[in-house]
Amino acid sequence: MQVFNRTTVVTQFILVGFSSLQELQLLLFVIFLFLYLTILMANATIMAVIRYSRTLHTPMYGFLFILSLSESCYTFVIIPQLLVHLLSATKTISFMACATQLFFFLGFACTNCFLIAVMGYDRYVAICHPLRYTLIMNKRLGLGLVSLSGVTGFLIALVATNLIRDMPFCGPNRVNHYFCDMAPVIKLACTDTHVKELALFSLSILVIMVPFLSILISYGFIVNTILKIPSAEGKRKAFATCASHLTVVFVHYGCASIIYLRPKSKSASDKDQLVAVTYTVVTPLLNPLVYSLRNQEVKTALKRVLGMPMATKVA
């Protein structure tokens, strides 16, 4: 991976996100540190439960395992540096570090978008074709979908990073964000960026809207199938299996759309940082909490792994 154009006068950026809250820096550090540790512990718990519970050795939970791992790596790219800058008087980041952070941030973010869509397809097969589920969602297809999500995600990240690194940066060098994201960095380029912004906007549509539309199509077939189930209990159980995934879908794609489905980087504002906190901190925390609190299979497996007594139904 190449870094930003070395002919530029600017040699480093200054991340000024949260700088206006100087008196709250220590409090923000404590809050973000707590959230970060909680994210790591929650995702590690989900991965451990899936790994050591044989009842969860299915494609659905395999995808959840990979998503939890990817989310953990995703937060590792951003939050540790944020914590350092909250306690530091200097909030500088070199071109190499900025390019590297942007590449891995986009890589894991794109991978997560595709993985969530894959999980939607898995639910479609499980509900609409239950008798053929194990035949269709075999290990080979599962590994292929995961690999395709990761490779496609990081290829798109490489293209986006290369588009930005070719831009000349002559100053100023103050990035109005707490990490190197596309829009705040592009705003600092001292050249016409409209063509490249359009290219990046097209990539954003590919990463956000295409998976989201595929999920909507999958759930269209799912709802149609569920409505044909004769018993109310059967319908309830079918909808319950999709509730966790749908919650993650709307939060994840909703926040991403607010930030990235805008054609001009000039539309970026201080409010974007609040939205960015949602998809860089809240969403990675939401995934394991939603799947553990709303999914009965995960809750049962967690109790079994922890050695907690299991509730039994009295006939």
Side-chain angles (χ1 to χ4, degrees), residues 160-185:
T161 304
N162 282 336
L163 284 173
I164 295 176
R165 64 95 185 172
D166 285 333
M167 298 178 184
F169 294 91
C170 313
N173 65 339
R174 296 171 65 84
V175 178
N176 187 27
H177 215 322
Y178 58 89
F179 68 96
C180 288
D181 201 359
M182 292 191 296
V185 173

Side-chain angles (χ1 to χ4, degrees), residues 8-13 95 168-174 187-190:
T8 179
V9 176
V10 174
T11 59
Q12 62 183 9
F13 289 128
F95 278 114
F169 294 91
C170 313
N173 65 339
R174 296 171 65 84
K187 288 184 67 176
L188 302 180
C190 52

Side-chain angles (χ1 to χ4, degrees), residues 58-70 107-108 110-119 121-122 137-155:
T58 64
M60 172 184 173
Y61 294 107
F63 296 138
L64 178 57
F65 181 97
I66 299 299
L67 180 63
S68 296
L69 177 61
S70 180
F108 286 116
C110 294
T111 298
N112 293 343
C113 284
F114 295 132
L115 282 175
I116 293 174
V118 167
M119 294 172 74
Y121 174 71
D122 173 79
M137 292 302 299
N138 53 56
K139 186 175 181 180
R140 181 178 179 181
L141 178 61
L143 291 175
L145 290 173
V146 169
S147 300
L148 182 62
S149 298
V151 171
T152 305
F154 277 91
L155 281 177

